Amino acid sequence: MISLLRIVSKLPIPTERRLQWQRTLIYREFSNEISAAKKLKDYEKIKKLKEDQQFEIDMIDEEVDAYLTKKLRSKANKLHVPIPHVHNKDGTESEYWYEGRFTGRWYLAPEGCCFLREAIRREIKAQQEIRAQWIVWISATTGLIGASTALIALLLHKLS
């Protein structure tokens, strides 16, 4: 099982897919071991296996949060969208962030992800509205040039 997890971790596939596969493999392996321990009625082993499973899943969840945080921060930086601060002005932790148990790094909490996604969407929408205004003027100018060209061609044709 461990070798299969290592193989999956080395595959050149998208990070989200890799993490999903790793989570599935962890659940599958631990559920098989827990089933075997239940048949033997070894309750201490069942408890230990469930704790180990939760530990492994929590590590994967933290990797997922790290990936999402990196991805959202990158998009926000490209669009010049302000990223919420880790600490509030009074020094307390922001509800948008949490500190990882395993790495000690700060990751966006679900509320922070929603907040940042919404801010990114608003910025993209504003940029599209600006482009839409230019498209109207470009279309009108193109039409005007086309009509002028047709009128000049018509006049030149009548004169010759």
Side-chain angles (χ1 to χ4, degrees):
M1 175 59 192
I2 298 300
S3 62
L4 189 55
L5 270 173
R6 285 188 184 144
I7 291 170
V8 168
S9 69
K10 304 277 189 231
L11 289 175
I13 57 176
T15 304
E16 291 175 273
R17 175 72 40 90
R18 178 182 52 81
L19 293 170
Q20 287 173 351
W21 285 3
Q22 286 176 325
R23 179 180 289 169
T24 302
L25 289 171
I26 289 168
Y27 274 123
R28 187 179 300 155
E29 179 62 25
F30 276 102
S31 63
N32 291 340
E33 291 180 24
I34 290 170
S35 295
K38 283 181 180 178
K39 288 179 183 175
L40 298 173
K41 296 185 181 184
D42 187 354
Y43 299 110
E44 282 298 315
K45 187 173 182 179
I46 293 170
K47 181 180 176 186
K48 173 80 169 104
L49 287 170
K50 286 184 177 182
E51 288 172 358
D52 290 347
Q53 179 186 27
Q54 190 58 48
F55 176 79
E56 294 289 332
I57 294 300
D58 287 347
M59 285 180 53
I60 295 290
D61 287 344
E62 198 165 306
E63 275 189 69
V64 169
D65 290 344
Y67 174 74
L68 289 175
T69 298
K70 180 181 174 185
K71 193 169 146 183
L72 285 171
R73 287 181 69 143
S74 174
K75 276 186 183 180
N77 286 332
K78 284 179 187 174
L79 295 169
H80 303 290
V81 172
I83 298 170
H85 295 288
V86 174
H87 293 90
N88 295 326
K89 290 182 181 180
D90 60 356
T92 60
E93 283 184 19
S94 170
E95 68 272 7
Y96 297 129
W97 295 87
Y98 79 94
E99 188 174 9
R101 288 182 7 197
F102 305 107
T103 62
R105 294 185 178 153
W106 290 91
Y107 305 113
L108 283 168
E111 300 85 14
C113 287
C114 289
F115 176 82
L116 202 49
R117 274 192 203 108
E118 190 58 39
I120 290 169
R121 285 184 190 122
R122 281 193 307 268
E123 182 62 27
I124 290 171
K125 183 179 179 184
Q127 289 178 355
Q128 288 173 344
E129 287 173 356
I130 290 170
R131 281 190 212 114
Q133 291 174 352
W134 280 103
I135 288 173
V136 169
W137 285 104
I138 290 170
S139 299
T141 304
T142 304
L144 201 58
I145 291 171
S148 300
T149 305
L151 185 60
I152 291 171
L154 182 66
L155 290 174
L156 288 176
H157 182 67
K158 286 199 177 208
L159 291 175
S160 53

